[in-house]
């Protein structure tokens, strides 16, 4: 499944496509993927980093310096660091989460994997993720890379999104369906 044309249509997708092309040219797709995974995890954990990427009051220069220092502290590879600098210079740091998702999709496609976004009420352990990957591989017929998110509002179960297909087995959805059925 080729996602590249759809990805290139968005602003974040153009940055991700450019980064992917450079990474492919330099044989460093895995290094860039590891760096953006690190960056994504840091953004999930750090309110300050999220504030930095979304701050309209920081000048381009200050944002560039701050993101460069952050990249150095996190051990981000040079290509990803340069991309962060370009995002800061163009006042596009707010697009970083979308750039990360688009790059991950391109990298997964390059490896012949299909990317699945899985939301659960509680964090999944490695054993559960591996079992889920095996089930999804049976369903779609190829390797699946899984990115996980936690949303306690779904109460239990999973919401799995693969491309435009969504498999919603959450307790919240089941309760809403039951409530609608009871209303007649």
């Amino acid at each position: 499944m080729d996602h590249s044309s759809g990805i290139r249509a968005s602003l974040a997708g153009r940055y991700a496509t450019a980064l992917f092309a450079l990474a492919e040219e330099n044989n460093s797709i895995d290094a860039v993927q590891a760096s953006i995974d690190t960056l994504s995890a840091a953004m999930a954990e750090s309110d300050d980093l999220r504030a930095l990427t979304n701050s309209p009051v920081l000048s381009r220069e200050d944002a560039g310096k701050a993101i460069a220092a952050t990249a150095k502290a996190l051990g981000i590879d040079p290509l990803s660091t340069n991309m962060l600098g370009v995002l800061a210079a163009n006042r596009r740091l707010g697009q970083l989460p979308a750039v990360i998702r688009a790059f991950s999709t391109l990298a997964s496609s390059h490896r012949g994997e299909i990317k699945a976004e899985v939301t659960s009420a509680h964090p999944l352990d490695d054993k559960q993720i591996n079992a889920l990957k095996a089930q999804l591989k049976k369903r779609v017929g190829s390797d699946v890379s899984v990115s996980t998110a936690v949303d306690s509002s779904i109460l239990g179960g999973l919401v799995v999104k693969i491309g435009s297909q969504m498999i919603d087995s959450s307790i919240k959805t089941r309760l809403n369906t039951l409530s609608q059925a009871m209303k007649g």
Side-chain angles (χ1 to χ4, degrees):
M1 188 183 312
D2 184 25
H3 299 285
S4 60
S5 61
I7 288 174
R8 278 189 230 113
S10 68
L11 176 67
R14 290 192 294 273
Y15 283 101
T17 301
L19 178 61
F20 183 80
L22 287 170
E24 188 174 32
E25 185 178 302
N26 290 302
N27 294 321
S28 59
I29 294 171
D30 292 338
V32 171
Q33 182 69 58
S35 289
I36 65 169
D37 288 346
T38 299
L39 193 56
S40 181
M43 286 184 67
E45 295 173 8
S46 172
D47 292 335
D48 291 337
L49 182 55
R50 282 192 305 278
L52 167 65
T53 62
N54 293 311
S55 176
V57 296
L58 280 178
S59 70
R60 294 171 194 237
E61 184 179 333
D62 290 342
K65 288 178 183 176
I67 202 70
T70 301
K72 185 176 182 182
L74 293 173
I76 303 298
D77 74 284
L79 284 177
S80 300
T81 300
N82 288 343
M83 184 263 313
L84 291 170
V86 170
L87 288 173
N90 292 333
R91 291 200 157 292
R92 301 281 191 234
L93 281 173
Q95 293 288 316
L96 186 55
V99 171
I100 289 171
R101 282 190 303 274
F103 182 90
S104 294
T105 299
L106 289 169
S108 292
S109 180
H110 178 74
R111 289 188 298 267
E113 296 176 338
I114 294 176
K115 188 155 179 58
E117 297 173 14
V118 178
T119 304
S120 60
H122 304 284
L124 300 175
D125 62 31
D126 290 339
K127 185 177 177 182
Q128 292 169 319
I129 291 172
N130 290 333
L132 180 61
K133 283 181 181 180
Q135 288 298 317
L136 291 173
K137 183 175 181 174
K138 285 180 189 175
R139 184 177 179 120
V140 299
S142 65
D143 288 335
V144 178
S145 67
V146 174
S147 63
T148 59
V150 175
D151 180 2
S152 59
S153 73
I154 69 169
L155 304 176
L158 298 173
V159 177
V160 180
K161 184 176 178 191
I162 302 173
S164 62
Q165 181 182 18
M166 183 179 290
I167 305 163
D168 189 344
S169 66
S170 67
I171 293 174
K172 179 180 179 180
T173 299
R174 290 179 185 182
L175 289 173
N176 286 340
T177 304
L178 181 60
S179 172
Q180 291 299 321
M182 292 175 74
K183 288 179 182 177

